[in-house]
Amino acid sequence: MNKKNIRQEMLEKRKNISEKVRRNLSEQIAENIINSHFYKNFQHICIYQAFRGEVLCDRIKKQAFLDGKRVYVPVTNQEQKRITFYEIYEDTAYQTGAYGIMEPVMDEQSTVLSKPALILMPGLAFDRNKHRIGYGGGYYDRYLAVHPEHTAVALCFGFQVIDTDLPCEEHDILPGYIVTEQEIF
């Protein structure tokens, strides 16, 4: 199976789960993250704004604020094909950004991530060797390639983990962990 077919299949599977199921599974994944040693070890947490049926990060964000952690989200520069993580707060205002993803409204006080962080990343398909297929833009791969000080953790629903090896390329950066509603590996 090629990446294009895998992407289409996983997008379709995610689209077919109800919003209630997505929220429930996302809550279970959030609990796995919040109880993990890697969450506890980082003061800086990077989440993403879920779209296209991705695992929701709302519970993780809320808990991180309660725990006094600093929270960041990616802002996409489509021209340069890169992301930069900016700090958010409980009262941060958002606007529609690249690809229709919500991004924080930027101002002169917007703070860029400058400390080692736990980076939670989405994806479409994963295998047991932690290979990941995203949407094909390579944004996280490029960011992590020049920022090895961070620990990347991919969030996905259990059905997104497949038993066969996914195709991978030399520039692919593997997450340190993959977290589903059922397990962390």
Side-chain angles (χ1 to χ4, degrees), residues 1 11 36 39 73 75 80 96 113 116 163:
M1 227 180 188
L11 281 169
S36 70
Y39 173 84
V73 295
V75 173
Q80 296 179 2
T96 303
L113 176 65
D163 292 327

Side-chain angles (χ1 to χ4, degrees), residues 128-166:
R128 291 278 166 194
N129 295 315
K130 299 181 187 164
H131 296 114
R132 169 185 170 272
I133 292 180
Y135 297 101
Y139 289 94
Y140 280 90
D141 290 324
R142 276 191 291 288
Y143 182 85
L144 293 169
V146 296
H147 294 282
E149 69 274 17
H150 302 305
T151 296
V153 175
L155 307 184
C156 68
F157 304 114
F159 65 81
Q160 292 177 264
V161 179
I162 62 175
D163 292 327
T164 58
D165 289 344
L166 290 171

Side-chain angles (χ1 to χ4, degrees), residues 40-175:
K40 292 174 179 149
N41 288 339
F42 282 94
Q43 187 59 30
H44 300 266
I45 309 290
C46 298
I47 62 167
Y48 57 87
Q49 300 291 88
F51 86 125
R52 288 189 183 172
E54 292 171 339
V55 173
L56 299 166
C57 292
D58 301 345
R59 170 84 170 84
I60 299 164
K61 177 173 68 173
K62 183 178 179 183
Q63 188 63 50
F65 285 135
L66 288 172
D67 292 339
K69 296 181 185 284
R70 294 178 73 176
V71 182
Y72 302 79
V73 295
V75 173
T76 302
N77 181 321
Q78 283 181 281
E79 290 175 10
Q80 296 179 2
K81 291 246 182 230
R82 65 181 177 90
I83 53 174
T84 303
F85 289 91
Y86 286 92
E87 189 167 8
I88 60 167
Y89 306 92
E90 292 182 72
D91 62 350
T92 294
Y94 293 88
Q95 63 189 5
T96 303
Y99 305 106
I101 301 170
M102 298 306 289
E103 294 181 348
V105 174
M106 308 300 284
D107 61 30
E108 63 279 347
Q109 296 176 326
S110 296
T111 307
V112 175
L113 176 65
S114 62
K115 304 278 186 188
L118 178 66
I119 296 184
L120 304 180
M121 59 194 294
L124 286 168
F126 304 84
D127 68 22
R128 291 278 166 194
N129 295 315
K130 299 181 187 164
H131 296 114
R132 169 185 170 272
I133 292 180
Y135 297 101
Y139 289 94
Y140 280 90
D141 290 324
R142 276 191 291 288
Y143 182 85
L144 293 169
V146 296
H147 294 282
E149 69 274 17
H150 302 305
T151 296
V153 175
L155 307 184
C156 68
F157 304 114
F159 65 81
Q160 292 177 264
V161 179
I162 62 175
D163 292 327
T164 58
D165 289 344
L166 290 171
C168 62
E169 298 173 36
E170 191 176 310
H171 65 268
D172 290 343
I173 304 290
L174 305 183

